[in-house]
């Protein structure tokens, strides 16, 4: 399967990634290679095989509904580029109004 | 042109767990901002989410109450989008395999009932909260809510009017509250509804283009928003235009909806299975457990309260509206019935105290007075040790001082006066003060009897035993 430059741009935009023109060409080639390999795998008959969501040989790992100590407000905000009154401060979100 | 309205509803119900969906942070509403977070819900690298067992139990219980099939195999998916209230840049949700599918619930309206189909209900985590009002040039983000378990419940487009949609929402909320899986509080955001609404020419089979409505926090506004949207879309179509598929926000102040975001880069959430979470298998045993934990549904409970306790429809409705209050009522009645009273004997009194007197004294009265003491009061009244009018005073004092019911009655001298000598004395005084009424009674005007009962009760400070008063008054007045 062939991945075009525009598809790389689309995926990059969705992931908020900045990619150079050179990278677009490189990624298009590499992604095409990966998908071609997947196409090859598709030739196998997998009828009756349950789709694999994980390779871990386990399921149903739970925790009980118990409250554990949280971080302090100061710790929670420690990595924030900007903060005010105990909140993360971000550029005005215009879409909501 | 005549149009037909088609409405489907998405409800996000916050599950009543103490801790979050994938970490141990608390879920209490109203805490100081960013004090209920940890590396897991803040989206720090290298952390591992672990599923809250109770959230799964609640989802299965709700699914059963809504007649859904429960998926034996579940996995969680990452839904990717960028927004300041979403620290991980993805929301853990369920995509192809929702935990509950193909259910229904019955809505009653004007004596007819209709079945609304539930397409799916899936588990996911909530985002944080953005605040905009009164902040110059910035928005604020509080991540306390990020990671709180939600059950998203989606219907088929089965509702044909805003009234039907509201009836569905109320019924669903009552069911969730009855199952004790959600507190149903719309203002605090624990029950959020997003209608999608479209119009089509009357009689047409094809669905029109739908618009999704958000930002609605009461039943009143959800109805207003849908009514506004019907008018808006009708106008667009009548003028030969096309309805655009979009999300619109309800503006309470303006009473209208406005476009929220255009979806230029078509919704592409790039779902994929969350590699940090192992599959969730709902076993037969888990379903059997959930079946055992199913609570009586609101309608059945209402009927039972009428037949078992001899209450009116109205009183039964008030009592069953809140399962905590309903349980409190049953516990109170049970407490007095262990001393030999029959349910129907004491239910009316107790229901009256619980639905009328107590709510007027304290909003959350059940947390202050153990149900056993309500039973005690009822028993004392039955034995004739206190009179009806005194009960309210006792309850008031009980809430104010925290002293036990028995102590209050003793300390305040509220014990009912049944002593004939004492009552006769009061009656004599009342008769002496009201010779005119005495004469009226004796000349055959029996209606004045009630006046004497009232005067005697008043003179005794409400403590006189009404039955004794009746008996003695009759004797005295006819002497």
């Amino acid at each position: 399967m062939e991945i075009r430059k525009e598809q790389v741009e689309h995926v990059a935009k969705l992931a908020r990634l900045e990619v150079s023109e050179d990278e677009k060409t490189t990624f298009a080639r590499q992604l095409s290679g990966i998908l071609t390999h997947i196409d090859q795998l598709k030739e196998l008959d997998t009828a009756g095989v349950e789709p694999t969501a994980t390779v871990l040989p386990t399921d149903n790992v739970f925790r009980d509904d118990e409250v554990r100590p949280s971080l302090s407000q100061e710790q929670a905000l420690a990595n924030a580029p900007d903060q005010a009154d105990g909140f993360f401060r971000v550029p005005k979100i215009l879409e909501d109004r | 042109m005549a149009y037909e309205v088609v409405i489907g509803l998405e409800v996000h119900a916050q599950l009543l767990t103490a801790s979050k969906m994938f970490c141990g942070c608390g879920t209490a509403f109203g805490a100081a901002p960013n004090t209920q977070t940890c590396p897991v819900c803040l989206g720090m690298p290298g952390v591992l989410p672990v599923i809250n067992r109770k959230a799964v139990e609640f989802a299965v219980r709700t699914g059963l109450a809504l007649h859904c099939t429960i998926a034996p195999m579940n996995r969680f998916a990452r839904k990717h989008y960028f927004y300041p209230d979403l620290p991980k840049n993805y929301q853990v949700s369920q995509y192809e395999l929702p935990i509950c599918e193909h259910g229904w619930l019955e809505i009653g309206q004007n004596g007819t009932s209709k079945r609304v189909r539930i397409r799916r209900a899936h588990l996911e985590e909530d985002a944080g909260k953005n605040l905009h009002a009164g902040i110059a040039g910035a928005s604020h983000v509080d991540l306390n809510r990020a990671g709180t378990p939600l059950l998203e419940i989606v219907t088929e487009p089965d509702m044909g009017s805003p009234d039907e949609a509201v009836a569905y929402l109320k019924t669903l909320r009552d069911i969730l509250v009855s199952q004790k899986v959600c507190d149903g509080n719309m203002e605090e955001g624990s029950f959020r509804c997003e209608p999608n609404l479209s119009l089509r020419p009357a009689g047409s089979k094809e669905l029109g283009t739908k618009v999704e409505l958000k930002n609605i926090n009461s039943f009143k506004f959800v109805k207003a928003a849908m009514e506004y949207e019907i008018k808006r879309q009708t106008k667009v179509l009548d003028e030969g235009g096309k309805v655009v598929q979009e999300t619109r926000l309800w503006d309470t102040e303006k009473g209208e909806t406005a476009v929220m975001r255009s979806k230029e880069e078509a919704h592409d959430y790039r779902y994929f299975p969350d590699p940090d979470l192992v599959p969730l298998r709902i076993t037969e045993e888990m379903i059997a457990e959930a079946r055992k934990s199913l609570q009586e549904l609101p309608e059945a409970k209402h009927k039972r309260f009428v037949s078992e306790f001899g209450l009116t429809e109205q009183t039964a409705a008030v009592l069953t509206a809140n399962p905590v209050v309903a349980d409190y009522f049953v516990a109170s009645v049970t407490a007095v019935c262990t001393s030999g009273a029959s349910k129907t004997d004491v239910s009316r009194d107790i229901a009256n105290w619980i639905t009328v007197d107590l709510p007027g004294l304290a909003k959350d009265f059940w947390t202050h007075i153990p149900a056993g003491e309500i039973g005690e009061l009822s028993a004392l009244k039955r034995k004739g040790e206190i009179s009806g009018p005194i009960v309210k005073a006792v309850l008031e004092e009980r809430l104010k001082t925290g002293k036990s019911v028995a102590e209050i009655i003793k300390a305040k001298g509220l014990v009912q006066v049944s002593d004939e000598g004492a009552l006769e004395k009061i009656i004599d005084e009342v008769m002496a003060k009201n010779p005119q009424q005495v004469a009226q009674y004796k000349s055959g005007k029996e209606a004045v009897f009630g006046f004497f009962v009232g005067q005697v009760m008043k003179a005794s400070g409400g403590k006189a035993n009404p039955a004794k008063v009746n008996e003695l008054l009759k004797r005295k007045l006819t002497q």
Side-chain angles (χ1 to χ4, degrees), chain B residues 133-145:
Chain B
I135 307 160
S139 292
H140 284 174
V141 183
D142 174 9
L143 296 177
N144 281 348
R145 203 179 64 181

Side-chain angles (χ1 to χ4, degrees), chain A residues 67, chain B residues 14 17-20 25-32 36 144-145 148 188:
Chain A
V67 177
Chain B
Q14 233 173 52
T17 54
S19 65
K20 292 187 179 179
C25 289
T27 56
F29 181 85
Q36 292 177 158
N144 281 348
R145 203 179 64 181
T148 299
E188 290 180 4

